[in-house]
């Protein structure tokens, strides 16, 4: 964390107050700054359009501390990711209740496809995938000194069954990386420990609570946790790991996002007196407008 983070956060608050009245206007007014942050060839106008779509899909973003929304978008600009685009699944901005400051903050959630997009930016990564083994699939993994043997044949003659195992792999120039499989019990334990969105009574809500979205969350987990420790990381992928599920208030297009992203204590998706449910329209889905990915 940068030594002058508090000063920059205060500047962000001041800038947010000076911006036009609505959050949509503030986002549009930041287009020039977003462009300064973006990789060559990317268009800030597209990021602004994506952000306005996010506001329509997730109305509670308009109730978030403005600097947290703008800061999350600035990180998306620097990473070259498009937030809230269901077909891409790069990233989402989700309103989370900040118990310390008693307000809603926009938390940046980077998706499974966002991680794969950033992984390909390293010239030694040839291919990367995160896969699910269902109970009716044929799966064999054997380790030996002569080389690992991986055989995974999805069942195609009917329902594939229930999720059984998760693994991730990458083909690299001169080699490969393969994670050890996680069982369904392993993934459930991970979810119970790390899921951010919970009700006051501890009940998990959001994508981890939906069986279909659970699988996408698990695929991301296999890349973010074991696989990234085994492959060469692009600069952007290393940044993504550090800023995922964080809140940024700094609006500078040139600062390292890892230095200005905080991971505050989050108490659920919405304010404590607003009980969310698995079908809450304000929770963006993983693969369609309105759902989250983690």
């Amino acid at each position: 964390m940068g030594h002058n983070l508090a000063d920059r956060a205060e500047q962000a608050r001041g800038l947010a107050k000076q911006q036009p009245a609505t959050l949509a206007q503030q986002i549009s007014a930041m287009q020039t700054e977003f462009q300064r942050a973006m990789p060559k060839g990317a268009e800030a106008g597209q990021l602004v359009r994506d952000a306005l779509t996010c506001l329509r899909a997730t109305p509670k973003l308009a109730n978030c501390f403005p600097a947290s929304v703008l800061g999350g978008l600035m990180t998306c600009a620097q990473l070259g990711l498009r937030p809230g685009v269901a077909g891409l699944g790069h990233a989402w901005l989700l309103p989370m209740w900040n118990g310390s400051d008693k307000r809603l903050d926009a938390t940046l959630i980077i998706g499974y496809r966002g991680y794969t997009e950033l992984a390909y930016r390293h010239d030694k990564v040839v291919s990367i995938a995160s896969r699910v083994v269902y109970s009716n699939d044929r799966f064999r993994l054997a380790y030996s000194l002569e080389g690992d043997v991986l055989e995974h044949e999805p069942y195609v003659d009917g329902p594939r069954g229930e999720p059984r195992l998760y693994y991730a792999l990458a083909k690299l120039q001169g080699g490969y990386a393969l994670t050890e499989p996680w069982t369904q019990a392993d993934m459930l334990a991970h979810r119970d420990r790390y899921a951010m969105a919970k009700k006051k009574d501890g009940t998990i809500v959001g994508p981890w609570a939906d069986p279909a979205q659970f699988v996408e969350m698990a695929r991301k987990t296999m890349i973010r946790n074991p696989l990234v420790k085994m492959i060469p990381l692009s600069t952007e992928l290393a940044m993504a790991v550090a800023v995922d599920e964080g809140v940024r208030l700094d609006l500078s297009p040139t600062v390292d996002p890892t230095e200005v992203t905080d991971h505050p204590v989050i108490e659920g998706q919405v304010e404590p007196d607003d009980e969310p449910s698995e079908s809450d329209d304000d929770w963006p889905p993983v693969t369609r407008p309105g759902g989250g990915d983690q």
Side-chain angles (χ1 to χ4, degrees):
M1 198 67 66
H3 295 299
N4 59 344
L5 175 58
D7 292 340
R8 287 201 292 261
E10 187 60 37
Q11 292 170 5
R13 294 185 182 95
L15 180 57
K17 292 178 182 178
Q18 297 169 16
Q19 295 286 344
T22 69
L23 183 56
Q25 290 173 326
Q26 293 181 46
I27 290 170
S28 297
M30 287 285 294
Q31 181 167 330
T32 300
E33 295 301 289
F34 291 146
Q35 191 66 64
R36 290 179 58 200
M38 299 184 83
K40 186 177 180 179
E43 293 293 335
Q46 182 64 70
L47 176 66
V48 169
R49 290 191 291 273
D50 292 341
L52 297 180
T53 299
C54 289
L55 290 183
R56 291 191 292 271
T58 311
K60 280 192 174 69
L61 281 175
N63 299 329
C64 288
F65 188 57
S68 69
V69 178
L70 299 175
L73 292 172
M74 186 61 74
T75 296
C76 287
Q78 289 176 295
L79 294 177
L81 297 179
R82 293 180 58 186
V85 182
L88 295 178
H90 282 179
W92 284 264
L93 288 173
L94 301 183
M96 296 281 186
W97 180 248
N98 181 336
S100 299
D101 295 322
K102 305 300 180 184
R103 69 183 185 216
L104 283 174
D105 280 338
T107 302
L108 178 63
I109 306 295
I110 298 175
Y112 158 65
R113 296 175 185 85
Y115 273 97
T116 57
E117 165 70 22
L118 298 177
Y120 280 124
R121 297 184 188 176
H122 197 290
D123 58 8
K124 291 186 177 180
V125 176
V126 178
S127 64
I128 186 170
S130 182
R131 293 177 177 158
V132 184
V133 180
Y134 291 88
S135 55
N136 291 333
D137 293 352
R138 190 179 77 83
F139 180 79
R140 176 174 177 261
L141 175 60
Y143 303 117
S144 73
L145 294 177
E146 288 71 35
D148 302 336
V149 176
L150 171 65
E151 298 176 352
H152 180 191
E153 294 184 11
Y155 186 71
V156 296
D157 295 324
R160 293 179 64 185
E162 297 299 319
R164 175 187 168 207
L165 297 171
Y166 305 89
Y167 68 98
L169 68 164
K171 182 179 180 181
L172 310 172
Q173 289 186 11
Y176 69 94
L178 173 64
T179 67
E180 292 189 6
W182 284 24
T183 66
Q184 181 73 353
D186 292 334
M187 196 59 68
L188 287 169
H190 174 88
R191 178 202 65 177
D192 293 346
R193 181 175 182 182
Y194 294 108
M196 297 176 64
K198 298 179 180 179
K199 295 182 181 181
K200 289 182 291 184
D201 63 3
T203 302
I204 295 171
V205 296
W208 274 117
D210 183 288
Q213 298 179 45
F214 181 100
V215 170
E216 291 297 309
M217 304 284 281
R219 294 174 74 186
K220 168 189 168 176
T221 296
M222 293 308 299
I223 291 180
R224 182 187 179 187
N225 285 353
L227 191 64
V228 295
K229 301 172 183 177
M230 305 168 68
I231 64 174
L233 302 184
S234 65
T235 301
E236 295 91 344
L237 182 56
M239 286 182 180
V241 173
V243 303
D244 193 9
E245 301 180 359
V247 174
R248 171 179 176 174
L249 304 181
D250 182 276
L251 307 183
S252 170
T254 57
V255 70
D256 183 341
T258 64
E259 295 184 355
V260 292
T261 297
D262 195 12
H263 292 78
V265 175
I266 298 295
E267 297 179 359
Q269 150 197 359
V270 292
E271 294 177 272
D273 59 353
D274 187 359
E275 293 288 341
S277 69
E278 293 181 20
S279 59
D280 192 326
D281 290 337
D282 290 338
W283 183 274
V286 173
T287 56
R288 59 186 184 275
D293 187 357
Q294 157 165 259

